[in-house]
Amino acid sequence: MWHEIPCRCRVICNFAPHPKQFAVKKITWLLPMVVSTLFVNAQRKTDRKTLTNLQMHIAYLSSDKLEGRRTGAPGEKLAADYISEQMRQIGLSPKGTADFLQSFTVKEGLEPAASCNFELNHKLLEAGTHYIPLPFTATKSAKGEVLPQANEPDNIWLINVADIDSTKYKSRLELYRKETATAAQSGATAVIFYNGGESSDLINSWLVQTAAGAIPAIWVDKDISKVLDDENANSFLIQLHTELKPVKRTGINVIGYIDNNAEHTIIVGAHYDHLGFGEDNNGLTKGHVLYHGANDNASGIAAMLEIARQLKASKLRHNNYLFVAFSGNEQGLSGSKYLAANSPVDLSTVNYMINLDMIGRLNPANGIQIAGVGTSPTWTQLLNGAVKDTKVVYNTSGIGPSDHTAFYRKNIPVLFFCTDREDFHQPGDVADKINYEGTLTVMKVVYDLIDKADNLQKLAFSATPDTLSGVTK
């Protein structure tokens, strides 16, 4: 046993490598670790740069200077200028009708003038919310003490629409017009319709250029209808003035393009408009307040711009890329509807569309919400490979109140990414509350998805149920 030890040593010594040979082997063994370390460090540097850019984009777009980016307002134009300049710096090609910009009409017709006034029992009501002048209203004032269910000449009439036989009329608009004409012929100084049951959106859709009537005519919402329908009311003190003014409101889509001379195109979109100071009465706080819209949807725009930057620098060349910053999202998705009807690329060549809307409040407990998974049979497989270490809530439907819907209706596979909706349509949706690391996480999922689908054939489209739960705006 004692003799075996030196023998082993001799064997080991006999097979020991030359010092230079050992150094080469050691370097070879360390090389993967060095490369891996360099890659990790490069990735961290890229992430830091991306996070800085995300913060820069969101801080500017949600700043007081842009006044809530209401469609058609000066703040929207400032935002459009910023986004188009960022697209230019990235190296995208302009794809709008005027450089990067594509203008569209949101609304053309009439709206209540600033002189409109309606006081009920000395309480000032809000035009567009509590009441809407009907399109045939006269530009005129009226006042009086009105007894419920006692419509008399030379006074304001209250008309309960629920008591009218609507089958006598071809449409609801005709009902209101003819009932107003009848009241005017009977000596009414103004007419107020309550318990109509229509939505304010429907009433506003009637406000187009038309000849004015003889007396003021007003529609009131359900809350004011309850007041006027109160059986215990003795009388109402009413003072009003109605006037409509012509209005043409336009929005601006911002469109950039990466042309890889490929057969198919991927659309990546996000809306950049928001609520302004609540002028359209779609905010959840009463009064004139600034809605910053950091999560909704400066976060989506910021991510879209950074994805565009990365794709421009990438080797992914099997698709072209169309990047669209939509306006008019808060106005019935009018911007995405317009683009889908007036696309700068042939929609039959579009591979798929990805929509980023409110991705700045990622909560690990709730995860990323992804809708549209049922719009292509390929989505599930791709998402299983792209989403790592992050909780995901899937929904199959391609229908929802965001901008992907217009493309789904063109038989294009879509995905809709969003996160938590805290401070939705509230003034508190500010940049300081954004989860920037979470926004980067969503970005990486989208980029990995595009990467994994790069070599695939054009995705097949599948129709889905027209319902979306849990992730919609």
Side-chain angles (χ1 to χ4, degrees):
M1 191 166 98
W2 288 97
H3 296 288
E4 291 176 3
I5 295 175
C7 180
R8 279 183 178 176
C9 292
R10 285 193 299 271
V11 170
I12 292 173
C13 291
N14 289 338
F15 286 92
H18 188 275
K20 290 184 178 180
Q21 186 179 11
F22 178 76
V24 170
K25 288 185 177 181
K26 184 176 182 180
I27 291 171
T28 304
W29 176 72
L30 288 173
L31 189 58
M33 181 181 296
V34 173
V35 172
S36 177
T37 302
L38 290 173
F39 175 79
V40 170
N41 288 337
Q43 185 61 54
R44 286 175 179 170
K45 184 177 180 181
T46 299
D47 287 353
R48 286 196 297 270
K49 175 62 175 174
T50 302
L51 285 169
T52 299
N53 289 343
L54 290 173
Q55 291 170 346
M56 175 183 70
H57 300 321
I58 294 173
Y60 178 75
L61 292 171
S62 62
S63 66
D64 291 356
K65 180 180 179 180
L66 270 63
E67 298 183 331
R69 312 184 307 277
R70 179 175 177 250
T71 299
E76 182 216 36
K77 181 62 168 61
L78 289 174
D81 290 343
Y82 176 85
I83 295 165
S84 59
E85 180 56 30
Q86 290 297 315
M87 287 183 172
R88 195 184 312 278
Q89 290 180 18
I90 290 168
L92 304 186
S93 301
K95 208 66 172 175
T97 51
D99 202 32
F100 288 96
L101 309 182
Q102 180 193 55
S103 298
F104 60 94
T105 299
V106 177
K107 178 182 178 181
E108 187 170 14
L110 303 166
E111 68 179 15
S115 59
C116 268
N117 180 280
F118 185 177
E119 289 186 15
L120 177 60
N121 293 336
H122 303 296
K123 179 181 179 181
L124 182 64
L125 305 184
E126 188 173 349
T129 302
H130 298 127
Y131 74 97
I132 301 173
L134 290 164
F136 39 83
T137 191
T139 300
K140 192 176 291 187
S141 300
K143 63 180 181 180
E145 183 175 358
V146 183
L147 298 174
Q149 300 178 346
N151 292 328
E152 301 173 335
D154 298 321
N155 204 351
I156 299 169
W157 284 25
L158 305 178
I159 297 181
N160 188 346
V161 181
D163 293 338
I164 299 173
D165 180 8
S166 60
T167 61
K168 299 186 300 181
Y169 302 101
K170 295 179 181 179
S171 67
R172 299 293 285 184
L173 180 57
E174 183 186 65
L175 181 155
Y176 284 106
R177 181 183 285 113
K178 289 192 173 181
E179 290 290 332
T180 298
T182 299
Q185 292 169 4
S186 301
T189 57
V191 61
I192 299 171
F193 294 97
Y194 65 99
N195 286 341
E198 300 88 1
S199 69
S200 59
D201 287 341
L202 177 60
I203 303 300
N204 279 317
S205 72
W206 295 346
L207 294 181
V208 294
Q209 293 285 359
T210 185
I215 61 174
I218 286 177
W219 172 94
V220 300
D221 70 359
K222 62 181 180 180
D223 291 334
I224 304 304
S225 292
K226 289 179 182 178
V227 176
L228 298 178
D229 202 25
D230 186 357
E231 295 180 354
N232 297 319
N234 295 319
S235 64
F236 300 104
L237 295 176
I238 297 175
Q239 181 170 319
L240 59 85
H241 176 81
T242 58
E243 182 177 356
L244 294 171
K245 67 176 182 179
V247 61
K248 183 173 182 179
R249 187 171 171 188
T250 59
I252 305 170
N253 291 329
V254 188
I255 311 169
Y257 189 59
I258 297 177
D259 187 359
N260 291 322
N261 294 313
E263 182 180 0
H264 300 123
T265 297
I266 295 167
I267 299 176
V268 181
H271 78 89
Y272 72 96
D273 65 301
H274 197 51
L275 309 183
F277 288 95
E279 296 95 331
D280 296 316
N281 303 303
N282 46 5
L284 299 181
T285 298
K286 296 293 184 181
H288 186 80
V289 294
L290 176 58
Y291 293 86
H292 298 85
N295 187 35
D296 185 14
N297 184 38
S299 66
I301 290 294
M304 183 196 72
L305 289 172
E306 292 310 299
I307 290 170
R309 191 186 310 278
Q310 293 177 7
L311 286 172
K312 180 63 178 176
S314 77
K315 296 180 180 180
L316 302 181
R317 295 288 185 265
H318 291 112
N319 291 278
N320 309 312
Y321 300 97
L322 190 74
F323 299 93
V324 187
F326 299 106
S327 186
N329 172 277
E330 306 292 356
Q331 305 299 317
L333 310 179
S334 54
S336 53
K337 289 177 182 176
Y338 183 84
L339 188 135
N342 302 272
S343 176
V345 299
D346 182 355
L347 290 186
S348 68
T349 68
V350 172
N351 194 343
Y352 56 86
M353 188 270 180
I354 291 177
N355 180 29
L356 307 171
D357 195 349
M358 299 191 299
I359 62 167
R361 292 289 193 96
L362 180 61
N363 181 341
N366 299 328
I368 305 171
Q369 294 141 43
I370 307 176
V373 178
T375 62
S376 176
T378 311
W379 281 139
T380 301
Q381 175 187 353
L382 289 172
L383 286 165
N384 285 340
V387 181
K388 305 181 184 71
D389 304 323
T390 304
K391 180 179 178 180
V392 181
V393 178
Y394 293 118
N395 192 290
T396 59
S397 181
I399 297 292
S402 193
D403 296 299
H404 59 286
T405 301
F407 300 92
Y408 167 79
R409 295 195 186 281
K410 297 290 185 179
N411 296 333
I412 295 172
V414 299
L415 285 181
F416 168 36
F417 287 78
C418 68
T419 57
D420 281 12
R421 302 166 66 247
E422 292 180 70
D423 294 312
F424 170 68
H425 283 196
Q426 296 280 7
D429 181 10
V430 295
D432 289 347
K433 296 182 180 179
I434 295 295
N435 178 353
Y436 290 97
E437 292 282 355
T439 306
L440 178 62
T441 296
V442 178
M443 266 189 61
K444 288 183 175 181
V445 171
V446 173
Y447 187 90
D448 286 350
L449 187 74
I450 294 172
D451 188 0
K452 292 180 185 301
D454 187 55
N455 291 312
L456 299 181
Q457 298 294 321
K458 185 173 183 286
L459 270 61
F461 172 78
S462 299
T464 65
D466 287 354
T467 57
L468 184 63
S469 60
V471 297
T472 62
K473 289 179 66 178

